[in-house]
Amino acid sequence: MNFLRRFHLYLGCFFAPMLVFFCVSGIWQVYGLQWVKGPNILTYLSTNHMGHNLFFKDPAKAYTFTSPYLEFFVVLMAGSLILSIILGVIMAFKFGRGTLALASIAAGTFLPLILIIVFAHKL
């Protein structure tokens, strides 16, 4: 049982940086900040999260399933997940080995960056 708790703890630390990125990018995408004033840094960062091209061919025909209430709910959910991740990382340092928790966070931060640098390509 102790092994499973530790495995869960360090696995959470490993994925924490990417989960925080997807939560934060989800917040700016809820309000469409990636489309403000044409392509900007948020537009390009959003392609990782959205999984499709940057622009619609005919934006006038776009359809959405969202509402202001759903947008508020998504922001609340994303903020809660960020807080939960922060608390989980704090618990990893408190109840686990601090150096292993730090190494897991570093690996979870740098491994995706390395994968992007090595395998990213132009469209």
Side-chain angles (χ1 to χ4, degrees):
M1 187 66 168
N2 197 20
F3 169 77
L4 290 177
R5 186 178 66 83
R6 282 190 188 157
F7 180 73
H8 173 74
L9 185 134
Y10 297 123
L11 192 64
C13 287
F14 178 79
F15 286 111
M18 287 304 290
L19 288 170
V20 170
F21 168 76
F22 277 90
C23 289
V24 172
S25 66
I27 290 171
W28 79 60
Q29 289 180 36
V30 164
Y31 294 106
L33 298 179
Q34 75 273 23
W35 305 117
V36 175
K37 298 180 184 176
N40 57 40
I41 188 69
L42 298 180
T43 307
Y44 294 105
L45 288 174
S46 296
T47 59
N48 289 331
H49 192 69
M50 297 184 313
H52 59 73
N53 294 333
L54 293 176
F55 301 103
F56 294 107
K57 290 183 179 179
D58 186 7
K61 294 183 179 179
Y63 185 80
T64 183
F65 291 110
T66 192
S67 71
Y69 302 107
L70 184 59
E71 290 174 356
F72 176 76
F73 179 76
V74 169
V75 170
L76 184 65
M77 179 183 63
S80 298
L81 181 56
I82 292 169
L83 178 62
S84 177
I85 290 168
I86 291 169
L87 292 174
V89 169
I90 290 169
M91 288 187 337
F93 281 102
K94 184 171 182 175
F95 300 118
R97 295 184 192 148
T99 54
L100 191 53
L102 186 61
S104 297
I105 291 171
T109 301
F110 292 114
L111 181 61
L113 292 175
I114 291 168
L115 292 174
I116 289 169
I117 290 168
V118 172
F119 296 109
H121 62 282
K122 291 185 177 181
L123 295 177

